[in-house]
Structures are given as C-alpha cells and as structure tokens.
Amino acid sequence: VSQFCNETTHNRFAPTKQNLLCHGRSTQSVINSNLDFQNLTMGPVSIRRTAFTYKRIEKSRFVLVIDNSKEMELMRNFYFVRSAVRRFILEDLPTGTELGLVIFDSLAINLTDGTVSLDNDDTRKHLFGEIPEEASQLDSKCLTCAINKAIETLEFGGKLAGGNSVIIVTTPLRGMDLDSIEVATSIATQKNVKLSVIAFNETFEGHSVLTSKTNGYFGIVPLNVLPPELHLTMLTRLVDELLAALHHQATHPNQEIEIPITIHEKASNTTSIIEGTFTLDRSIARDVLFAVYFYDQIKTGVRKIQITAPDGTIYSSRSDEHKPSNYFTPGIQITEPGLWSYVVERDGTSKQPHIVKVTTRQFSAHGEKLSVKIFTSVETAEGNATIEPIKLFAEVKQGRQPVLNAKVEATVTSNQHSFAVPIPLFDNGNGDPDVTENDGIYSRYLPYILGNRTEYSISVSVHGYEDQTFSVYDSSLRDQNQRSKRAISLDPAIVPMCCGSSVTIPSHLKKPISTFSRITVGPLLVASGYASEDLIPPGRISDLYVTSGIDRTIWNFTWTATGGDLDYGV
C-alpha cells in the first residue's frame, strides 16, 4: 500500500465493502477520525531499535471476593453463592491454580494467607470451609477495602500482584459514588490486576468502570420474581458466570484447555421426566460432570437418574456427594466418546424445576481445541441501537482455523423484561451484517433493542455435525501423511482468499470434524433502543444491480429483499 484514498480520490458509489461498512467514507477519512490520529503533528521520524521482553506467569492466581453484606440475604443470594462457589472450588478450578478468598461488608477480611495451590481434594474442601455459612447483618460495603485486601492476598509472601485476577461477587454497588469506584479502579490498574464483577439483579455504572478499565469481565445474575422455588436458574446462571469470568481471566497460555466448558443443558418444571442426549467428541471425553440441579436440599424432587452409554450400557445410580452444591450426579465415570442419553425421573408432586447441565474439560494433544468467542459491535460500555444498529458475533475456531457450516444460535435475554429471544447466526457473507463467508465468524443484528438502558445477557450454542461441519488444515499441524496438502495461502494467485464476500476453501483443505456441541456465555450488553418495534428500520440493500435494454427505454432493478426490522421479518 503506497497511499490511502481520501475524500477527493475515493469513489463512494463503487460496490465495495469499504463503502458498505463505512457508509461511503474513504479509508483516509476513517483513519483520521480515530482519536489516535486527531491533533497529530507529523515531524521527522527516527528509526529506533526495538527490544521485546517476554514475561510468562507460571501459575494462574485468583482471588475470589464475596460480598458478605446484609443485602446478600435477599432472595437467598448468599445461599446460592455458597452453593455455586462450592462447585467452583471443589470441581471447576484447574488443578494447580492458586486461589485466595476475601469477604467484605463495611470492612474486608482475608480468609486465606495469600493464595493457596489447589493440588488435592482436602485443600479444596478446607478452603471452601473458610467461607461463612451466613451473611453479616451490616448494610454498608467498602469495595475499596475489598480490592486492597485482594491485592494484599496476591502480594502475600513477597509475590507480585501484577497479571493476576480478582473476581468480585456482589449486589449492586448503589451505595458507592463514582469517585470511590475510580479510586478502587486506580488501585487495581496501578498494580496491573484484572477485576471482574458478577452482580446480582441489576447493573450500576461503577461496574463497567471497574471491569472495562482493568480488562475484566462483567456478568449479571437477574433476581427472579416469586415464587422462590422457581429461582433455580439463579444458581445455574451464577455457575455459568463464574466459569465465564474464569475463561476471560485465564492468564496461562494452556489454562483454557483445563477450564470446564458446557456442552449440554436442559430444564423442566412441568413434565414428570427430563430426557435428552449429549455427544462427547474425543477432545472432551474426560472429567465429565453430569449434574441434575434442584432447589430444595431436603425435598429434592429427584427420584431416579438413568444414563445410557454409547455402547448401550445402562447405569441407574445416584451420588449425593454434591448435594451441598444443589445437584446430584450419576456417580459413574463418563469417558466414552459418542452419543449418551439420559432420563431423570421427577417427583410428580414437586413444583420446583430441575436443570440438567453437562460440563467437561477440553483436551487436545496438538492444541486444536474448539473455541467460541462472543463479541458485539459496541465498543463502549453502553450501546445505542437508534444511533448504530448493534451486531452480534460468534467466532468459532478449531485451533487457529475457522469452523465452517456449524449451527450457531444465540439466546439474548432481557434481564429487566424477562424474555429470551433465540437468534440464528450466519456465516453467509451477505455484507450486512456478515462481512465474509467462510471465515468462521457467525453474525446477526440484535433485534428488538427497546427502551432505555436495558441489560441483555447473551449465550451462544454451537453444534457441529459429522460430514457437514469442517475446519481447515493448518500447515503447522499436519503429519507426515498430509505433506502434500497445502494450508491456505495468502497469495491470491494460489488460492483466492476473498472473492467478493467469500473465502474460497479448496476441497483438499477441508478438515472433517466429528459431531460436537458447545454452550458459551458472553459478557453483559447494556444498550438503549427504540420506543417500539414499529420504529425499527428495515435492513440495508447492499446488492442493488441495474441493467438496461438495448434502446435504454427499460431499466431493470434487482436486489435481495431485506427484513422489515433490520434483517428480521419480511
């Protein structure tokens, strides 16, 4: 590239992606509008020798900070926190991870001297036993005190806090002013510590300040309305958010392989049985946790768990080991790859729901793990759909290569209005909003963003099917028998990477993938939108094509019809 087009040399009517995505603006105009280039004075450029220093954390260290104030007793919040944290410590945190504990109300207390290495079951049980069984009776809370204690825990014994992570579980920080939040954030940024927040019920502006400025994760657990026996989803949501924060905070390059991933979930509160299936591919057939969640530890409402292995073996057993975490397991080792099925018999007189959740750890000898990354087009803490429609993206990869022809569906839940909308995502390269087909990034507009400052939780399920879903061979991972197969080349003379809006994948580079499932929770989205659905505009036309007859008295206009509400409806 020798120069960029400016407003004079740019053709804003050309049928290019630049015009489609940037609304006809030139490349130079887009670059100059960035804050990094505004008020920039160009002078002589001196070339300096650049030296890089690499630092790697050998062990990932976390501090879990738990709000212990009186407000945590609302809707049994603290009860659910203890149940979810018990699983988090005893089952979910990878072996060798170091964990410290802090509780706080108006004061903060270290429950551990420094961070403790989770090397065995006894250590994990002892660590969980340090958490009090009930919240305190104090209404106020001191977040700054809690963050100082967390950093003190990370620095215990002369260790460095930098590069490590703090996960805060709390109710909304409404009692704190933004100045106090800024002080707490400054403490963390000076020490290079990541802060993640998992909040009950609603957001507070300070939450996004804490997480965005320290590269942390922000999740929310909505409080349901009565009756209380239907609040089981709060517990499983808290389990999901803790895992999401753990994935986000992972610092060791191989740690994400050991963090549990969800591959199946199903709930019921109306039928006498829950039945379903889940698939284990060879990369995840280890440390499988099949959990049947219940609300009431005394009257669980679970009569029987029956599970059938791929070879047809039927197991009818139940383990009470994790009853304090509000779930049962079949009490068997689930390791065989293939299709598993299950039947959970419920007590017909019980009104409480039950949720089946299957998690496992992913392993690949070559690092070719399947990963799902969720992100949106919102670059700031809060989006506004009336100014710029909000796009949702899910990037699906195996190792470094895209996963193609998968079935990808997002579920967007409004925490205030208690509705959930399923949204199929596509990698079709239609240009609006999906830019390029076959790049492994599945996208869609977020529909029906209504009202002012509404909170939306996002999860994405990905299903791949043998003989349909595939990845791409990576030259660095091929064995001796695959030497004749080229990896994708950036040289368009060899393989045209992008023709219009599609990446061309030659058949000999398509890499088969066995059947798989993944469920991933994304970060919270806070957005404002339209007053009603009638005000949502239709989608943009990006493929208008005009032809004329010989005498140019007849002109034909063709285009693909868009949806009535962005890319939804007719």
Side-chain angles (χ1 to χ4, degrees):
V1 177
S2 59
Q3 66 179 18
F4 295 112
C5 292
N6 55 33
E7 291 302 300
T8 301
T9 59
H10 175 68
N11 179 4
R12 66 188 185 91
F13 298 106
T16 64
K17 286 186 183 179
Q18 170 73 24
N19 283 329
L20 176 67
L21 299 176
C22 301
H23 305 282
R25 296 169 63 196
S26 69
T27 304
Q28 189 70 58
S29 172
V30 174
I31 293 174
N32 290 341
S33 66
N34 190 283
L35 291 176
D36 292 340
F37 295 96
Q38 292 181 10
N39 301 320
L40 182 65
T41 302
M42 297 298 294
V45 177
S46 59
I47 300 176
R48 300 179 181 178
R49 184 178 178 181
T50 302
F52 294 92
T53 302
Y54 295 91
K55 294 183 179 180
R56 189 180 73 176
I57 297 175
E58 293 299 326
K59 274 191 174 183
S60 292
R61 301 168 61 222
F62 298 88
V63 177
L64 183 61
V65 178
I66 301 173
D67 184 347
N68 191 42
S69 66
K70 185 177 181 180
E71 192 175 6
M72 285 293 282
E73 288 291 0
L74 177 67
M75 308 285 280
R76 302 183 75 192
N77 285 359
F78 200 73
Y79 167 82
F80 286 128
V81 168
R82 289 192 87 254
S83 295
V85 168
R86 183 181 185 275
R87 168 179 168 152
F88 186 66
I89 295 176
L90 269 59
E91 298 294 331
D92 292 340
L93 283 167
T95 300
T97 300
E98 292 189 9
L99 179 69
L101 294 175
V102 171
I103 59 172
F104 74 102
D105 42 34
S106 59
L107 299 173
I109 302 174
N110 299 80
L111 299 182
T112 57
D113 292 329
T115 53
V116 180
S117 183
L118 303 178
D119 296 324
N120 56 65
D121 291 344
D122 289 339
T123 300
R124 292 173 184 264
K125 291 177 181 177
H126 176 76
L127 197 60
F128 172 73
E130 297 296 318
I131 301 175
E133 295 186 2
E134 297 180 351
S136 75
Q137 296 302 306
L138 298 177
D139 291 320
S140 59
K141 60 187 74 174
C142 177
L143 182 65
T144 306
C145 305
I147 292 176
N148 275 322
K149 282 293 181 183
I151 292 174
E152 179 184 306
T153 302
L154 289 170
E155 293 180 335
F156 183 83
K159 296 181 179 179
L160 296 177
N164 295 294
S165 308
V166 175
I167 302 174
I168 304 168
V169 182
T170 183
T171 51
L173 303 172
R174 290 185 297 264
M176 296 188 64
D177 58 73
L178 287 178
D179 289 339
S180 299
I181 296 291
E182 289 286 358
V183 170
T185 304
S186 176
I187 294 171
T189 53
Q190 288 174 13
K191 296 289 185 176
N192 192 26
V193 172
K194 301 178 184 177
L195 297 180
S196 286
V197 175
I198 301 171
F200 278 92
N201 199 34
E202 61 185 78
T203 63
F204 168 66
E205 188 177 349
H207 293 151
S208 59
V209 172
L210 282 171
T211 56
S212 62
K213 291 190 176 182
T214 63
N215 193 30
Y217 174 84
F218 181 27
I220 194 165
V221 180
L223 293 181
N224 297 330
V225 295
L226 296 174
E229 62 265 18
L230 298 181
H231 293 170
L232 184 61
T233 54
M234 292 167 53
L235 172 58
T236 56
R237 176 68 171 272
L238 183 54
V239 170
D240 289 340
E241 294 293 352
L242 284 169
L243 285 178
L246 195 59
H247 278 283
H248 182 87
Q249 301 284 68
T251 52
H252 192 282
N254 293 322
Q255 184 187 14
E256 283 197 271
I257 296 176
E258 300 296 331
I259 298 174
I261 56 175
T262 303
I263 62 172
H264 176 78
E265 185 169 332
K266 190 170 185 179
S268 178
N269 63 341
T270 56
T271 60
S272 59
I273 64 171
I274 308 175
E275 55 184 342
T277 61
F278 60 93
T279 300
L280 293 184
D281 59 78
R282 295 188 181 277
S283 70
I284 59 172
R286 76 178 189 145
D287 293 345
V288 178
L289 179 57
F290 180 98
V292 180
Y293 279 90
F294 50 82
Y295 176 82
D296 192 333
Q297 291 188 6
I298 299 175
K299 296 181 179 180
T300 66
V302 178
R303 285 184 174 178
K304 181 182 178 181
I305 300 175
Q306 179 178 293
I307 191 165
T308 304
D311 64 3
T313 304
I314 299 176
Y315 302 92
S316 297
S317 58
R318 191 184 81 181
S319 170
D320 293 0
E321 178 184 358
H322 298 289
K323 190 175 181 180
S325 294
N326 288 72
Y327 66 86
F328 291 130
T329 68
I332 62 170
Q333 293 291 323
I334 300 176
T335 58
E336 183 182 349
L339 184 66
W340 291 72
S341 62
Y342 64 87
V343 176
V344 178
E345 293 186 9
R346 297 170 6 100
D347 187 341
T349 62
S350 176
K351 295 182 179 180
Q352 66 171 305
H354 294 90
I355 297 175
V356 175
K357 181 184 286 288
V358 184
T359 58
T360 182
R361 298 183 195 273
Q362 190 166 213
F363 173 79
S364 173
H366 300 290
E368 289 186 303
K369 67 185 184 70
L370 281 161
S371 61
V372 182
K373 178 184 177 181
I374 304 172
F375 57 101
T376 70
S377 58
V378 177
E379 297 181 356
T380 57
E382 183 174 333
N384 191 324
T386 63
I387 298 175
E388 183 71 30
I390 298 173
K391 304 171 186 177
L392 172 64
F393 304 94
E395 183 178 37
V396 187
K397 286 186 174 182
Q398 184 182 49
R400 297 181 299 175
Q401 300 292 0
V403 173
L404 311 176
N405 285 1
K407 179 183 178 183
V408 182
E409 183 175 273
T411 299
V412 179
T413 304
S414 168
N415 296 324
Q416 282 98 327
H417 303 125
S418 300
F419 70 78
V421 179
I423 304 173
L425 305 183
F426 303 108
D427 181 18
N428 56 14
N430 68 353
D432 190 30
D434 196 72
V435 177
T436 305
E437 182 182 19
N438 290 339
D439 63 354
I441 300 177
Y442 299 75
S443 57
R444 198 80 185 272
Y445 281 111
L446 281 179
Y448 314 129
I449 302 295
L450 305 173
N452 293 322
R453 206 173 189 279
T454 302
E455 300 155 2
Y456 297 92
S457 299
I458 302 170
S459 65
V460 170
S461 64
V462 181
H463 301 280
Y465 303 95
E466 197 166 349
D467 299 328
Q468 174 184 318
T469 307
F470 60 92
S471 183
V472 181
Y473 281 109
D474 186 328
S475 59
S476 66
L477 301 176
R478 293 174 294 164
D479 59 29
Q480 294 296 327
N481 296 326
Q482 296 169 333
R483 293 295 182 186
S484 62
K485 297 177 179 178
R486 293 195 313 263
I488 288 183
S489 171
L490 295 178
D491 184 354
I494 300 175
V495 178
M497 277 293 291
C498 184
C499 303
S501 295
S502 179
V503 174
T504 302
I505 311 293
S507 58
H508 70 275
L509 293 183
K510 294 181 179 180
K511 180 179 181 179
I513 295 180
S514 59
T515 299
F516 71 89
S517 295
R518 299 288 188 275
I519 300 174
T520 303
V521 174
L524 183 77
L525 171 68
V526 181
S528 299
Y530 298 93
S532 70
E533 294 182 18
D534 292 338
L535 298 177
I536 300 176
R540 296 167 61 193
I541 295 173
S542 60
D543 59 353
L544 179 64
Y545 189 68
V546 183
T547 59
S548 67
I550 297 177
D551 58 358
R552 296 198 174 188
T553 59
I554 298 177
W555 296 82
N556 296 316
F557 293 78
T558 60
W559 66 91
T560 301
T562 64
D565 297 329
L566 296 174
D567 56 348
Y568 297 84
V570 293

